[in-house]
PDB file of all heavy atoms in Angstrom:
ATOM      1  N   ALA A   1     123.349 118.618 110.287  1.00 90.00           N
ATOM      2  CA  ALA A   1     124.310 119.068 111.297  1.00 90.00           C
ATOM      3  C   ALA A   1     125.685 119.342 110.691  1.00 90.00           C
ATOM      4  O   ALA A   1     126.392 120.261 111.113  1.00 90.00           O
ATOM      5  CB  ALA A   1     124.413 118.022 112.408  1.00 90.00           C
ATOM      6  N   VAL A   2     126.065 118.568 109.673  1.00 92.00           N
ATOM      7  CA  VAL A   2     127.387 118.724 109.067  1.00 92.00           C
ATOM      8  C   VAL A   2     127.524 120.052 108.331  1.00 92.00           C
ATOM      9  O   VAL A   2     128.650 120.546 108.135  1.00 92.00           O
ATOM     10  CB  VAL A   2     127.663 117.555 108.100  1.00 92.00           C
ATOM     11  CG1 VAL A   2     126.764 117.628 106.875  1.00 92.00           C
ATOM     12  CG2 VAL A   2     129.125 117.495 107.692  1.00 92.00           C
ATOM     13  N   ALA A   3     126.426 120.672 107.932  1.00 94.00           N
ATOM     14  CA  ALA A   3     126.488 121.880 107.104  1.00 94.00           C
ATOM     15  C   ALA A   3     127.256 123.012 107.765  1.00 94.00           C
ATOM     16  O   ALA A   3     127.947 123.788 107.099  1.00 94.00           O
ATOM     17  CB  ALA A   3     125.071 122.352 106.754  1.00 94.00           C
ATOM     18  N   ASP A   4     127.166 123.112 109.075  1.00 94.00           N
ATOM     19  CA  ASP A   4     127.839 124.199 109.785  1.00 94.00           C
ATOM     20  C   ASP A   4     129.327 123.920 109.992  1.00 94.00           C
ATOM     21  O   ASP A   4     130.075 124.801 110.396  1.00 94.00           O
ATOM     22  CB  ASP A   4     127.157 124.430 111.142  1.00 94.00           C
ATOM     23  CG  ASP A   4     127.529 125.759 111.773  1.00 94.00           C
ATOM     24  OD1 ASP A   4     127.762 126.729 111.023  1.00 94.00           O
ATOM     25  OD2 ASP A   4     127.587 125.838 113.012  1.00 94.00           O
ATOM     26  N   HIS A   5     129.749 122.680 109.712  1.00 93.00           N
ATOM     27  CA  HIS A   5     131.140 122.299 109.959  1.00 93.00           C
ATOM     28  C   HIS A   5     131.957 122.149 108.677  1.00 93.00           C
ATOM     29  O   HIS A   5     133.135 121.792 108.737  1.00 93.00           O
ATOM     30  CB  HIS A   5     131.179 120.998 110.761  1.00 93.00           C
ATOM     31  CG  HIS A   5     130.470 121.081 112.080  1.00 93.00           C
ATOM     32  ND1 HIS A   5     130.993 121.747 113.161  1.00 93.00           N
ATOM     33  CD2 HIS A   5     129.248 120.624 112.464  1.00 93.00           C
ATOM     34  CE1 HIS A   5     130.142 121.679 114.175  1.00 93.00           C
ATOM     35  NE2 HIS A   5     129.078 121.013 113.783  1.00 93.00           N
ATOM     36  N   LEU A   6     131.333 122.395 107.542  1.00 94.00           N
ATOM     37  CA  LEU A   6     132.063 122.340 106.281  1.00 94.00           C
ATOM     38  C   LEU A   6     132.943 123.573 106.146  1.00 94.00           C
ATOM     39  O   LEU A   6     132.765 124.568 106.840  1.00 94.00           O
ATOM     40  CB  LEU A   6     131.075 122.260 105.110  1.00 94.00           C
ATOM     41  CG  LEU A   6     130.160 121.034 105.079  1.00 94.00           C
ATOM     42  CD1 LEU A   6     129.170 121.147 103.931  1.00 94.00           C
ATOM     43  CD2 LEU A   6     130.987 119.759 104.941  1.00 94.00           C
ATOM     44  N   ARG A   7     133.881 123.509 105.225  1.00 93.00           N
ATOM     45  CA  ARG A   7     134.741 124.667 104.953  1.00 93.00           C
ATOM     46  C   ARG A   7     134.659 124.994 103.475  1.00 93.00           C
ATOM     47  O   ARG A   7     135.180 124.258 102.656  1.00 93.00           O
ATOM     48  CB  ARG A   7     136.191 124.383 105.368  1.00 93.00           C
ATOM     49  CG  ARG A   7     136.349 124.292 106.864  1.00 93.00           C
ATOM     50  CD  ARG A   7     136.075 125.656 107.513  1.00 93.00           C
ATOM     51  NE  ARG A   7     136.135 125.604 108.976  1.00 93.00           N
ATOM     52  CZ  ARG A   7     135.095 125.395 109.769  1.00 93.00           C
ATOM     53  NH1 ARG A   7     133.908 125.215 109.235  1.00 93.00           N
ATOM     54  NH2 ARG A   7     135.230 125.370 111.064  1.00 93.00           N
ATOM     55  N   PRO A   8     133.952 126.089 103.103  1.00 96.00           N
ATOM     56  CA  PRO A   8     133.272 127.012 104.009  1.00 96.00           C
ATOM     57  C   PRO A   8     131.939 126.442 104.512  1.00 96.00           C
ATOM     58  O   PRO A   8     131.375 125.545 103.876  1.00 96.00           O
ATOM     59  CB  PRO A   8     133.018 128.231 103.112  1.00 96.00           C
ATOM     60  CG  PRO A   8     132.854 127.633 101.746  1.00 96.00           C
ATOM     61  CD  PRO A   8     133.829 126.500 101.686  1.00 96.00           C
ATOM     62  N   PRO A   9     131.435 126.977 105.650  1.00 97.00           N
ATOM     63  CA  PRO A   9     130.117 126.544 106.129  1.00 97.00           C
ATOM     64  C   PRO A   9     129.051 126.776 105.062  1.00 97.00           C
ATOM     65  O   PRO A   9     129.100 127.752 104.318  1.00 97.00           O
ATOM     66  CB  PRO A   9     129.883 127.425 107.361  1.00 97.00           C
ATOM     67  CG  PRO A   9     131.258 127.810 107.807  1.00 97.00           C
ATOM     68  CD  PRO A   9     132.061 127.958 106.542  1.00 97.00           C
ATOM     69  N   LEU A  10     128.100 125.861 104.997  1.00 97.00           N
ATOM     70  CA  LEU A  10     127.159 125.806 103.883  1.00 97.00           C
ATOM     71  C   LEU A  10     125.906 126.647 104.103  1.00 97.00           C
ATOM     72  O   LEU A  10     125.183 126.477 105.087  1.00 97.00           O
ATOM     73  CB  LEU A  10     126.744 124.350 103.642  1.00 97.00           C
ATOM     74  CG  LEU A  10     125.834 124.066 102.448  1.00 97.00           C
ATOM     75  CD1 LEU A  10     126.567 124.347 101.142  1.00 97.00           C
ATOM     76  CD2 LEU A  10     125.350 122.620 102.498  1.00 97.00           C
ATOM     77  N   THR A  11     125.637 127.543 103.159  1.00 98.00           N
ATOM     78  CA  THR A  11     124.349 128.231 103.117  1.00 98.00           C
ATOM     79  C   THR A  11     123.305 127.236 102.623  1.00 98.00           C
ATOM     80  O   THR A  11     123.527 126.522 101.644  1.00 98.00           O
ATOM     81  CB  THR A  11     124.413 129.443 102.172  1.00 98.00           C
ATOM     82  OG1 THR A  11     125.252 130.439 102.759  1.00 98.00           O
ATOM     83  CG2 THR A  11     123.026 130.033 101.938  1.00 98.00           C
ATOM     84  N   THR A  12     122.168 127.181 103.300  1.00 98.00           N
ATOM     85  CA  THR A  12     121.201 126.134 103.004  1.00 98.00           C
ATOM     86  C   THR A  12     119.803 126.565 103.433  1.00 98.00           C
ATOM     87  O   THR A  12     119.597 127.717 103.825  1.00 98.00           O
ATOM     88  CB  THR A  12     121.631 124.821 103.716  1.00 98.00           C
ATOM     89  OG1 THR A  12     120.740 123.772 103.361  1.00 98.00           O
ATOM     90  CG2 THR A  12     121.656 124.987 105.221  1.00 98.00           C
ATOM     91  N   VAL A  13     118.874 125.653 103.346  1.00 98.00           N
ATOM     92  CA  VAL A  13     117.509 125.870 103.830  1.00 98.00           C
ATOM     93  C   VAL A  13     117.245 124.860 104.938  1.00 98.00           C
ATOM     94  O   VAL A  13     117.426 123.652 104.737  1.00 98.00           O
ATOM     95  CB  VAL A  13     116.473 125.691 102.707  1.00 98.00           C
ATOM     96  CG1 VAL A  13     115.047 125.792 103.251  1.00 98.00           C
ATOM     97  CG2 VAL A  13     116.686 126.745 101.618  1.00 98.00           C
ATOM     98  N   GLY A  14     116.846 125.362 106.087  1.00 96.00           N
ATOM     99  CA  GLY A  14     116.555 124.469 107.203  1.00 96.00           C
ATOM    100  C   GLY A  14     115.130 123.947 107.110  1.00 96.00           C
ATOM    101  O   GLY A  14     114.186 124.724 107.041  1.00 96.00           O
ATOM    102  N   GLN A  15     115.014 122.624 107.084  1.00 94.00           N
ATOM    103  CA  GLN A  15     113.676 122.050 107.159  1.00 94.00           C
ATOM    104  C   GLN A  15     113.578 121.243 108.460  1.00 94.00           C
ATOM    105  O   GLN A  15     114.543 120.606 108.871  1.00 94.00           O
ATOM    106  CB  GLN A  15     113.359 121.175 105.957  1.00 94.00           C
ATOM    107  CG  GLN A  15     114.189 119.908 105.805  1.00 94.00           C
ATOM    108  CD  GLN A  15     113.500 118.903 104.897  1.00 94.00           C
ATOM    109  OE1 GLN A  15     112.303 118.692 104.985  1.00 94.00           O
ATOM    110  NE2 GLN A  15     114.270 118.280 104.010  1.00 94.00           N
ATOM    111  N   PRO A  16     112.428 121.264 109.114  1.00 94.00           N
ATOM    112  CA  PRO A  16     112.282 120.611 110.425  1.00 94.00           C
ATOM    113  C   PRO A  16     112.073 119.111 110.284  1.00 94.00           C
ATOM    114  O   PRO A  16     110.954 118.603 110.381  1.00 94.00           O
ATOM    115  CB  PRO A  16     111.044 121.311 111.006  1.00 94.00           C
ATOM    116  CG  PRO A  16     110.213 121.638 109.801  1.00 94.00           C
ATOM    117  CD  PRO A  16     111.201 121.970 108.710  1.00 94.00           C
ATOM    118  N   MET A  17     113.155 118.366 110.065  1.00 92.00           N
ATOM    119  CA  MET A  17     113.046 116.947 109.751  1.00 92.00           C
ATOM    120  C   MET A  17     112.430 116.143 110.899  1.00 92.00           C
ATOM    121  O   MET A  17     111.574 115.277 110.674  1.00 92.00           O
ATOM    122  CB  MET A  17     114.422 116.401 109.377  1.00 92.00           C
ATOM    123  CG  MET A  17     114.938 116.951 108.054  1.00 92.00           C
ATOM    124  SD  MET A  17     116.661 116.521 107.694  1.00 92.00           S
ATOM    125  CE  MET A  17     117.535 117.658 108.777  1.00 92.00           C
ATOM    126  N   ARG A  18     112.871 116.408 112.126  1.00 94.00           N
ATOM    127  CA  ARG A  18     112.274 115.686 113.253  1.00 94.00           C
ATOM    128  C   ARG A  18     110.815 116.074 113.456  1.00 94.00           C
ATOM    129  O   ARG A  18     109.992 115.234 113.810  1.00 94.00           O
ATOM    130  CB  ARG A  18     113.084 115.936 114.526  1.00 94.00           C
ATOM    131  CG  ARG A  18     114.477 115.339 114.472  1.00 94.00           C
ATOM    132  CD  ARG A  18     115.115 115.254 115.838  1.00 94.00           C
ATOM    133  NE  ARG A  18     116.468 114.738 115.751  1.00 94.00           N
ATOM    134  CZ  ARG A  18     117.195 114.349 116.795  1.00 94.00           C
ATOM    135  NH1 ARG A  18     116.683 114.429 118.016  1.00 94.00           N
ATOM    136  NH2 ARG A  18     118.409 113.888 116.631  1.00 94.00           N
ATOM    137  N   ASP A  19     110.510 117.331 113.230  1.00 96.00           N
ATOM    138  CA  ASP A  19     109.113 117.770 113.348  1.00 96.00           C
ATOM    139  C   ASP A  19     108.233 117.088 112.305  1.00 96.00           C
ATOM    140  O   ASP A  19     107.046 116.854 112.541  1.00 96.00           O
ATOM    141  CB  ASP A  19     109.017 119.291 113.184  1.00 96.00           C
ATOM    142  CG  ASP A  19     109.591 120.041 114.370  1.00 96.00           C
ATOM    143  OD1 ASP A  19     109.848 119.396 115.408  1.00 96.00           O
ATOM    144  OD2 ASP A  19     109.783 121.266 114.262  1.00 96.00           O
ATOM    145  N   LEU A  20     108.805 116.794 111.136  1.00 94.00           N
ATOM    146  CA  LEU A  20     108.054 116.062 110.109  1.00 94.00           C
ATOM    147  C   LEU A  20     107.595 114.699 110.640  1.00 94.00           C
ATOM    148  O   LEU A  20     106.421 114.326 110.519  1.00 94.00           O
ATOM    149  CB  LEU A  20     108.934 115.840 108.878  1.00 94.00           C
ATOM    150  CG  LEU A  20     108.885 116.854 107.749  1.00 94.00           C
ATOM    151  CD1 LEU A  20     109.951 116.508 106.716  1.00 94.00           C
ATOM    152  CD2 LEU A  20     107.521 116.888 107.103  1.00 94.00           C
ATOM    153  N   GLY A  21     108.548 113.955 111.205  1.00 95.00           N
ATOM    154  CA  GLY A  21     108.209 112.646 111.749  1.00 95.00           C
ATOM    155  C   GLY A  21     107.203 112.735 112.871  1.00 95.00           C
ATOM    156  O   GLY A  21     106.253 111.951 112.948  1.00 95.00           O
ATOM    157  N   ALA A  22     107.408 113.720 113.763  1.00 96.00           N
ATOM    158  CA  ALA A  22     106.489 113.890 114.892  1.00 96.00           C
ATOM    159  C   ALA A  22     105.091 114.271 114.411  1.00 96.00           C
ATOM    160  O   ALA A  22     104.083 113.742 114.894  1.00 96.00           O
ATOM    161  CB  ALA A  22     107.034 114.949 115.846  1.00 96.00           C
ATOM    162  N   ALA A  23     105.018 115.188 113.452  1.00 95.00           N
ATOM    163  CA  ALA A  23     103.717 115.632 112.948  1.00 95.00           C
ATOM    164  C   ALA A  23     102.972 114.484 112.275  1.00 95.00           C
ATOM    165  O   ALA A  23     101.743 114.375 112.368  1.00 95.00           O
ATOM    166  CB  ALA A  23     103.902 116.790 111.969  1.00 95.00           C
ATOM    167  N   ALA A  24     103.702 113.617 111.598  1.00 95.00           N
ATOM    168  CA  ALA A  24     103.072 112.478 110.934  1.00 95.00           C
ATOM    169  C   ALA A  24     102.469 111.517 111.955  1.00 95.00           C
ATOM    170  O   ALA A  24     101.351 111.022 111.779  1.00 95.00           O
ATOM    171  CB  ALA A  24     104.083 111.756 110.055  1.00 95.00           C
ATOM    172  N   VAL A  25     103.201 111.240 113.026  1.00 95.00           N
ATOM    173  CA  VAL A  25     102.672 110.364 114.079  1.00 95.00           C
ATOM    174  C   VAL A  25     101.454 111.002 114.747  1.00 95.00           C
ATOM    175  O   VAL A  25     100.445 110.338 115.006  1.00 95.00           O
ATOM    176  CB  VAL A  25     103.763 110.040 115.120  1.00 95.00           C
ATOM    177  CG1 VAL A  25     103.158 109.377 116.363  1.00 95.00           C
ATOM    178  CG2 VAL A  25     104.817 109.134 114.511  1.00 95.00           C
ATOM    179  N   HIS A  26     101.542 112.308 115.018  1.00 94.00           N
ATOM    180  CA  HIS A  26     100.393 113.004 115.616  1.00 94.00           C
ATOM    181  C   HIS A  26      99.168 112.899 114.704  1.00 94.00           C
ATOM    182  O   HIS A  26      98.035 112.745 115.183  1.00 94.00           O
ATOM    183  CB  HIS A  26     100.733 114.470 115.873  1.00 94.00           C
ATOM    184  CG  HIS A  26     101.687 114.690 116.999  1.00 94.00           C
ATOM    185  ND1 HIS A  26     101.553 114.058 118.208  1.00 94.00           N
ATOM    186  CD2 HIS A  26     102.794 115.481 117.102  1.00 94.00           C
ATOM    187  CE1 HIS A  26     102.542 114.437 119.016  1.00 94.00           C
ATOM    188  NE2 HIS A  26     103.302 115.290 118.371  1.00 94.00           N
ATOM    189  N   ALA A  27      99.388 112.981 113.387  1.00 93.00           N
ATOM    190  CA  ALA A  27      98.270 112.885 112.445  1.00 93.00           C
ATOM    191  C   ALA A  27      97.637 111.494 112.488  1.00 93.00           C
ATOM    192  O   ALA A  27      96.411 111.356 112.413  1.00 93.00           O
ATOM    193  CB  ALA A  27      98.742 113.219 111.032  1.00 93.00           C
ATOM    194  N   VAL A  28      98.481 110.461 112.618  1.00 93.00           N
ATOM    195  CA  VAL A  28      97.956 109.100 112.745  1.00 93.00           C
ATOM    196  C   VAL A  28      97.108 108.977 114.009  1.00 93.00           C
ATOM    197  O   VAL A  28      95.993 108.438 113.991  1.00 93.00           O
ATOM    198  CB  VAL A  28      99.104 108.070 112.774  1.00 93.00           C
ATOM    199  CG1 VAL A  28      98.584 106.706 113.235  1.00 93.00           C
ATOM    200  CG2 VAL A  28      99.746 107.940 111.406  1.00 93.00           C
ATOM    201  N   LEU A  29      97.625 109.489 115.125  1.00 92.00           N
ATOM    202  CA  LEU A  29      96.910 109.379 116.396  1.00 92.00           C
ATOM    203  C   LEU A  29      95.612 110.189 116.379  1.00 92.00           C
ATOM    204  O   LEU A  29      94.604 109.770 116.955  1.00 92.00           O
ATOM    205  CB  LEU A  29      97.815 109.852 117.545  1.00 92.00           C
ATOM    206  CG  LEU A  29      99.100 109.028 117.735  1.00 92.00           C
ATOM    207  CD1 LEU A  29      99.946 109.610 118.854  1.00 92.00           C
ATOM    208  CD2 LEU A  29      98.776 107.561 118.028  1.00 92.00           C
ATOM    209  N   THR A  30      95.636 111.323 115.708  1.00 90.00           N
ATOM    210  CA  THR A  30      94.408 112.126 115.569  1.00 90.00           C
ATOM    211  C   THR A  30      93.354 111.353 114.792  1.00 90.00           C
ATOM    212  O   THR A  30      92.173 111.344 115.144  1.00 90.00           O
ATOM    213  CB  THR A  30      94.716 113.454 114.856  1.00 90.00           C
ATOM    214  OG1 THR A  30      95.616 114.218 115.656  1.00 90.00           O
ATOM    215  CG2 THR A  30      93.446 114.261 114.626  1.00 90.00           C
ATOM    216  N   ARG A  31      93.799 110.688 113.718  1.00 88.00           N
ATOM    217  CA  ARG A  31      92.864 109.908 112.913  1.00 88.00           C
ATOM    218  C   ARG A  31      92.299 108.736 113.705  1.00 88.00           C
ATOM    219  O   ARG A  31      91.135 108.379 113.574  1.00 88.00           O
ATOM    220  CB  ARG A  31      93.583 109.411 111.657  1.00 88.00           C
ATOM    221  CG  ARG A  31      92.725 108.622 110.696  1.00 88.00           C
ATOM    222  CD  ARG A  31      91.621 109.433 110.100  1.00 88.00           C
ATOM    223  NE  ARG A  31      92.108 110.615 109.404  1.00 88.00           N
ATOM    224  CZ  ARG A  31      91.331 111.586 108.945  1.00 88.00           C
ATOM    225  NH1 ARG A  31      90.029 111.516 109.139  1.00 88.00           N
ATOM    226  NH2 ARG A  31      91.832 112.637 108.330  1.00 88.00           N
ATOM    227  N   LEU A  32      93.118 108.129 114.574  1.00 89.00           N
ATOM    228  CA  LEU A  32      92.634 107.043 115.423  1.00 89.00           C
ATOM    229  C   LEU A  32      91.568 107.529 116.393  1.00 89.00           C
ATOM    230  O   LEU A  32      90.616 106.815 116.707  1.00 89.00           O
ATOM    231  CB  LEU A  32      93.800 106.432 116.212  1.00 89.00           C
ATOM    232  CG  LEU A  32      94.740 105.509 115.435  1.00 89.00           C
ATOM    233  CD1 LEU A  32      95.979 105.212 116.252  1.00 89.00           C
ATOM    234  CD2 LEU A  32      94.028 104.222 115.055  1.00 89.00           C
ATOM    235  N   GLY A  33      91.741 108.768 116.855  1.00 80.00           N
ATOM    236  CA  GLY A  33      90.778 109.325 117.794  1.00 80.00           C
ATOM    237  C   GLY A  33      89.482 109.748 117.151  1.00 80.00           C
ATOM    238  O   GLY A  33      88.445 109.840 117.815  1.00 80.00           O
TER     239      GLY A  33
END
């Protein structure tokens, strides 16, 4: 979130960090099923 507020704003690569955590939990639940 801080990347857009730097001076100058930071060019970067967006990775879906929350989606990573969610996908990992979904994978655990799939394996349980």
Side-chain angles (χ1 to χ4, degrees):
V2 69
D4 196 33
H5 301 286
L6 298 176
R7 291 294 176 267
L10 184 66
T11 291
T12 184
V13 175
Q15 65 160 317
M17 292 171 283
R18 293 196 183 192
D19 289 348
L20 267 174
V25 168
H26 288 314
V28 167
L29 298 178
T30 297
R31 182 64 57 189
L32 284 169

